[in-house]
Amino acid sequence: MPTAVLPKPSALSALSSDCSAADSTGLDADAAALMADIAAFDIESARQRVQALDARHSGLRVSSTLFPDVPADAAFPPVRVAEAPSAPQPGPQAAPLRAQGGLLDQLKGEVVSRQQEASDASRQVDAEREDLDRRLRGLFEYFHDLTTQLNYLKPAVARSYFFLDSDDAFRNLAWLEGFSDFRTQAEREGGHIERVTLGYTLKGPGARNLERLGSGVERLRQLLFDLGLKFECRERRNRQRELEHGAFTVADEISVLVVWRVDFDNHVIVMESRNLERLGYASCTLSPESIGAAMLDEFGRLMLGRENRFRSFVTR
């Protein structure tokens, strides 16, 4: 590679000294001429000389430094241009994160299976409730028609109701009036029929008189009230307003109430009754499949005190 030849430092210093000396000699001559003009009171000549000095020294001074010539064929180091990054070479096939049929797939399969079982169970429950609703609706319609006919006919009911330990039973009873009603679930729970109520009253020709003393008065009053019997009570109290005696008149009138209630959890129908066959409360359980025309006819015969096979439909 060719190299540039630079002058020696001693030569550059000599050139600079010569230029400085020349400039200094010129300035001294100009100053001496200016002082001569001022001393001769030639103001105009002094002004022009100052303007000439200003014009001479106001521009850029030309550098007297000598620079060596650079050969045209001087070599410069080549400039490297950054290359674009090359695409990564494809490596071996990456292994999947999980194997087919692994633990996660097994758990997902179990979830799907349980969801299917829950869905099947839900459909089964819905079907059972639809069946119960249909059977109880048929129950209500039967009792509604039955009480309508009996309210018109008012037949005799061949049944005697014994009260407490007395042999004086309620006899010679006849149908007075009856009704049927039902209750449904809330709409958000399906709106199915969950209860059917049957009520009727049997009326006899007379009444009976009962007496109690002291605390026995309240006990008899509560019992008559719980059994739904119609009665009147005449009380006698002493001077301290304490109850001493009670005389009851109980009408020969029996109020019967039967409720058919669905037990959704056990998928059965519970029949709860008051004064159905005797004074007091009773309950029994029936399967939904037993609710049909045959069972209802047998229950109707039981209501009227006739021979019946209703107990054969009751779940043991």
Side-chain angles (χ1 to χ4, degrees), residues 1-9 12 66-71 74:
M1 178 185 295
T3 57
V5 180
L6 299 178
K8 294 181 179 180
L12 291 176
L66 297 178
F67 294 94
D69 294 334
V70 179

Side-chain angles (χ1 to χ4, degrees), residues 19-65:
C19 290
S20 299
D23 290 343
S24 176
T25 303
L27 288 174
D28 291 343
D30 290 336
L34 179 60
M35 294 301 295
D37 291 338
I38 294 173
F41 294 99
D42 190 352
I43 302 303
E44 182 62 25
S45 296
R47 185 181 62 79
Q48 292 177 357
R49 190 177 299 281
V50 170
Q51 290 179 349
L53 289 172
D54 289 341
R56 191 189 330 169
H57 297 285
S58 60
L60 293 175
R61 297 179 61 186
V62 179
S63 176
S64 59
T65 304

Side-chain angles (χ1 to χ4, degrees), residues 67-90:
F67 294 94
D69 294 334
V70 179
D73 57 349
F76 291 92
V79 178
R80 296 186 61 186
V81 179
E83 298 179 356
S86 59
Q89 296 298 322

Side-chain angles (χ1 to χ4, degrees), residues 29-306:
D30 290 336
L34 179 60
M35 294 301 295
D37 291 338
I38 294 173
F41 294 99
D42 190 352
I43 302 303
E44 182 62 25
S45 296
R47 185 181 62 79
Q48 292 177 357
R49 190 177 299 281
V50 170
Q51 290 179 349
L53 289 172
D54 289 341
R56 191 189 330 169
H57 297 285
S58 60
L60 293 175
R61 297 179 61 186
V62 179
S63 176
S64 59
T65 304
L66 297 178
F67 294 94
D69 294 334
V70 179
D73 57 349
F76 291 92
V79 178
R80 296 186 61 186
V81 179
E83 298 179 356
S86 59
Q89 296 298 322
Q93 184 73 21
L97 294 180
R98 61 183 178 88
Q100 196 72 17
L103 174 62
L104 185 56
D105 289 334
Q106 294 175 6
L107 294 176
K108 287 184 177 181
E110 186 175 349
V111 169
V112 171
S113 176
R114 291 192 181 185
Q115 289 176 340
Q116 184 64 39
E117 292 176 359
S119 179
D120 293 343
S122 178
R123 285 194 295 268
Q124 179 66 23
V125 169
D126 291 341
E128 291 176 353
R129 295 198 172 194
E130 289 291 341
D131 179 65
L132 287 168
D133 177 82
R134 179 177 58 83
R135 293 181 184 276
L136 262 70
R137 192 173 298 276
L139 197 72
F140 162 74
E141 293 173 354
Y142 181 90
F143 290 146
H144 176 73
D145 290 343
L146 179 64
T147 54
T148 299
Q149 308 309 316
L150 295 177
N151 287 344
Y152 178 81
L153 294 174
K154 298 185 184 304
V157 177
R159 176 169 289 113
S160 299
Y161 290 89
F162 291 89
F163 182 67
L164 299 178
D165 295 331
S166 173
D167 292 334
D168 186 14
F170 293 83
R171 293 185 177 91
N172 302 322
L173 301 173
W175 185 275
L176 181 63
E177 187 177 16
F179 71 93
S180 181
D181 196 3
F182 68 89
R183 190 179 75 179
T184 61
Q185 296 176 306
E187 287 297 328
R188 64 178 179 274
E189 297 176 357
H192 299 112
I193 295 179
E194 63 177 358
R195 176 177 298 182
V196 174
T197 301
L198 168 67
Y200 57 93
T201 302
L202 305 177
K203 176 71 173 173
R208 65 208 56 255
N209 298 318
L210 301 172
E211 296 184 0
R212 292 293 186 274
L213 298 175
S215 59
V217 176
E218 290 301 330
R219 287 197 297 269
L220 180 58
R221 192 199 311 272
Q222 185 64 46
L223 177 60
L224 294 172
F225 180 82
D226 292 341
L227 294 176
L229 299 178
K230 184 180 292 186
F231 66 92
E232 295 180 357
C233 179
R234 296 184 301 276
E235 299 177 351
R236 187 177 69 238
R237 297 179 180 272
N238 58 24
R239 294 180 179 180
Q240 287 76 31
R241 303 301 301 166
E242 295 173 344
L243 185 58
E244 291 184 337
H245 179 269
F248 294 85
T249 301
V250 183
D252 285 353
E253 187 172 315
I254 305 297
S255 176
V256 181
L257 183 66
V258 183
V259 176
W260 305 73
R261 176 176 56 82
V262 179
D263 184 347
F264 290 105
D265 294 335
N266 297 313
H267 191 59
V268 295
I269 295 176
V270 179
M271 189 192 78
E272 300 170 334
S273 64
R274 184 190 67 184
N275 303 339
L276 178 59
E277 296 182 86
R278 61 185 61 85
L279 292 177
Y281 292 83
S283 65
C284 62
T285 303
L286 298 94
S287 66
E289 294 74 21
S290 68
I291 307 298
M295 186 277 293
L296 292 172
D297 282 343
E298 294 301 323
F299 184 80
R301 294 186 178 93
L302 182 148
M303 290 169 54
L304 297 175
R306 301 176 182 177

